[in-house]
């Protein structure tokens, strides 16, 4: 019989990864808690654009990289989770198969992207000018482009509200505003974590603290190669229909919402844990938006913000059990793809934590993998 403050699994970090794993585990009958230093779902998970790029279907996984397989699994699960969350909570996370257009950042990179998507069996339609203009009249002329009808998006804040509600409905206890400061251990097992309101005990622990995972790990006596990369975004207030599809140009994007708002992003800056926006960077984003789609130059800026993406040296997430402990798991370091990969990550991690062989191997994402050691040299 479990004590009141003891759980099957304690998840440290209440972003989209932690909440998704908690919900998946709770649906499997596990007694779960989430320990969050601030408010659940209010950091990088809330700040992103909500894009779900197209990934390979299962029959093409044989030629896909581990990250591409995870993306393909996650894309399929997002459709299912949208319906399940809506049914369980009544909250619509705004899932929309809007499709996307890719424009050249440079012609070589666009051609490589196009070729790789075809190899992975992703439906791609080449667009020449004026075909791209016919599909999206607001776009400026471009030498080449391609359309991905299968790319989709969700509204981050709504998705996170739905996850919190679903966790609550399934008995997940969320400890908000309680930073973990230390841990209790015994013979390579973590037995508890310390918070301002006292210890929380569990059979297993999972670290999902995003950009703060490295700081947290140091407090608990081990190392994780995770560091923050700031991404700034501007939100434009427009009328419906100016853009209908996501527009991707290298690492930057325009994401139209169904209500007419348009997200413009994003920067990539290694500035530590600084979440302030910068006038020069925002001006650069607005100039980018106006160059890609000239009508956007006349829209007003409704809001700007910045989020901290959790990065690793090799830009792959850390997924799996920590070698220093027999019962501590890691799920962090998703960089720019946390929300995108959250569904697949949740299912695979819930399998591993529950003692079930995951559908995809977690070995390429192991927290102590060789590539991380090489990057550190």
């Amino acid at each position: 019989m479990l004590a009141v403050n003891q759980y099957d699994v304690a998840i440290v970090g209440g972003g989209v990864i932690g909440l998704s794993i908690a919900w998946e585990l709770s649906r499997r009958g596990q007694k779960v808690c989430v320990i969050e230093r601030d408010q659940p779902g209010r950091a990088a998970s809330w700040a992103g654009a909500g894009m779900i790029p197209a990934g390979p279907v299962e029959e093409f996984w044989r030629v896909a990289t581990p990250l591409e397989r995870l993306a393909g699994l996650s894309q399929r699960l997002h459709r299912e989770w949208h319906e399940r969350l809506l049914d369980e909570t009544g909250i619509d996370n705004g899932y929309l198969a809007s499709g996307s257009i890719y424009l050249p950042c440079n012609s070589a990179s666009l051609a490589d992207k196009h070729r790789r998507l075809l190899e992975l069996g992703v439906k791609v339609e080449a667009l020449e000018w004026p075909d791209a203009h016919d599909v999206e009249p607001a776009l400026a002329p471009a030498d080449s482009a391609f359309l991905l009808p299968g790319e989709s998006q969700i509204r981050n804040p709504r998705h996170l509200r739905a996850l919190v509600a679903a966790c609550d409905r399934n008995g997940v206890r969320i400890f908000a505003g309680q930073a973990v400061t230390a841990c209790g251990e015994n013979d390579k097992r973590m037995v508890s974590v310390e918070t301002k309101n006292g210890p929380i005990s569990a059979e297993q622990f999972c670290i999902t603290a995003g950009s703060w995972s490295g700081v947290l790990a140091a407090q608990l006596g081990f190392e994780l190669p995770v560091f923050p990369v700031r991404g700034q975004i501007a939100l434009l207030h427009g009328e419906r229909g100016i853009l209908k599809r996501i527009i991707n140009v290298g690492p930057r994007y325009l994401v139209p919402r169904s209500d007419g708002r348009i997200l413009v992003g994003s920067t990539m800056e290694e500035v530590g844990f600084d979440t302030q926006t910068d006038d020069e960077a925002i001006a650069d984003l607005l100039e980018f938006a106006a160059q890609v789609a000239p009508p956007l130059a006349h829209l007003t800026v409704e809001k700007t913000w910045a989020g901290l993406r959790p990065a690793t040296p090799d830009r792959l997430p850390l997924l799996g059990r920590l070698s220093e402990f027999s019962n501590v798991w890691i799920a962090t370091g998703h960089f720019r793809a946390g929300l995108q990969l959250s569904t697949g990550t949740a299912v695979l991690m819930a399998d591993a934590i529950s003692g079930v062989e995951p559908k995809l191997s977690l070995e390429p994402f192991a927290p102590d993998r060789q590539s991380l050691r090489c990057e550190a040299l």
Side-chain angles (χ1 to χ4, degrees):
M1 190 72 178
L2 292 172
V4 173
N5 67 335
Q6 185 169 339
Y7 297 85
D8 294 323
V9 185
I11 295 173
V12 185
V16 70
I17 299 296
L19 292 170
S20 297
I21 295 174
W23 183 45
E24 182 67 23
L25 285 169
S26 69
R27 294 180 59 248
R28 303 181 186 200
Q30 300 268 16
K31 183 178 180 181
V32 184
C33 73
V34 175
I35 309 164
E36 166 55 37
R37 62 193 292 273
D38 195 356
Q39 293 298 314
R42 293 296 301 177
S45 303
W46 177 91
M51 295 179 293
I52 306 171
V57 295
E58 192 165 346
E59 62 188 281
F60 285 89
W61 282 2
R62 66 187 184 280
V63 297
T65 67
L67 189 62
E68 289 168 340
R69 294 183 198 118
L70 178 57
L73 173 63
S74 298
Q75 182 195 20
R76 175 176 61 80
L77 288 170
H78 269 292
R79 292 191 292 269
E80 298 176 11
W81 280 40
H82 161 67
E83 296 174 358
R84 191 179 297 149
L85 286 168
L86 181 61
D87 182 60
E88 284 197 20
T89 70
I91 299 173
D92 185 347
N93 70 1
Y95 179 88
L96 176 65
S98 58
S100 68
I101 291 177
Y102 280 72
L103 297 172
C105 180
N106 62 69
S107 57
S109 65
L110 190 70
D112 289 344
K113 178 75 172 179
H114 189 195
R115 182 167 52 253
R116 184 56 179 163
L117 289 169
L118 290 175
E119 291 172 352
L120 294 172
V122 177
K123 185 177 181 181
V124 185
E125 300 175 16
L127 295 174
E128 300 294 338
W129 193 262
D131 294 340
H133 179 267
D134 293 338
V135 173
E136 286 288 352
L139 293 180
D143 294 334
S144 59
F146 60 80
L147 169 68
L148 266 68
E151 194 155 306
S152 54
Q153 60 173 282
I154 58 179
R155 303 287 287 268
N156 301 37
R158 297 181 188 178
H159 183 68
L160 289 156
R161 285 200 300 271
L163 282 174
V164 169
C167 283
D168 181 68
R169 186 178 183 275
N170 281 273
V172 175
R173 177 74 183 274
I174 296 179
F175 296 97
Q178 297 196 41
V180 168
T181 56
C183 72
E185 57 180 286
N186 181 27
D187 193 24
K188 292 196 69 173
R189 285 184 60 83
M190 189 178 292
V191 295
S192 65
V193 290
E194 191 68 40
T195 71
K196 66 180 182 181
N197 289 341
I200 296 174
S201 303
E203 291 298 314
Q204 302 197 75
F205 295 82
C206 187
I207 307 298
T208 62
S211 294
W212 288 268
S213 296
V215 175
L216 175 63
Q219 291 176 333
L220 301 182
F222 55 92
E223 294 184 6
L224 285 180
V226 181
F227 56 93
V229 177
R230 183 172 69 184
Q232 299 185 51
I233 290 179
L235 177 65
L236 304 181
H237 184 78
E239 297 181 0
R240 295 180 182 178
I242 296 178
L243 288 174
K244 301 180 181 66
R245 296 165 184 83
I246 299 166
I247 310 298
N248 289 285
V249 187
R252 293 187 169 183
Y253 51 78
L254 305 172
V255 181
R257 300 304 198 195
S258 57
D259 57 11
R261 292 181 171 90
I262 297 174
L263 289 168
V264 185
S266 167
T267 64
M268 288 190 287
E269 309 159 87
E270 292 187 29
V271 293
F273 289 90
D274 183 1
T275 58
Q276 299 297 310
T277 57
D278 175 81
D279 290 343
E280 184 177 349
I282 295 298
D284 189 48
L285 289 175
L286 298 178
E287 181 180 355
F288 154 75
Q291 289 176 346
V292 173
L296 302 189
H298 307 293
L299 301 185
T300 58
V301 178
E302 183 174 319
K303 186 185 300 184
T304 63
W305 64 84
L308 300 177
R309 309 180 184 99
T312 63
D314 62 5
R315 294 301 191 264
L316 293 177
L318 307 176
L319 306 175
R321 189 175 64 81
L322 191 66
S323 58
E324 289 90 335
F325 294 92
S326 62
N327 66 334
V328 177
W329 302 82
I330 306 297
T332 189
H334 293 76
F335 193 35
R336 304 184 77 195
L339 189 138
Q340 173 199 351
L341 301 176
S342 59
T343 51
T345 294
V347 170
L348 298 179
M349 289 298 298
D351 284 342
I353 292 170
S354 302
V356 176
E357 185 70 25
K359 185 180 183 69
L360 297 175
S361 172
L362 295 179
E363 186 175 351
F365 309 113
D368 58 354
R369 58 184 178 267
Q370 181 65 36
S371 62
L372 292 177
R373 293 196 290 272
C374 292
E375 288 279 353
L377 296 178

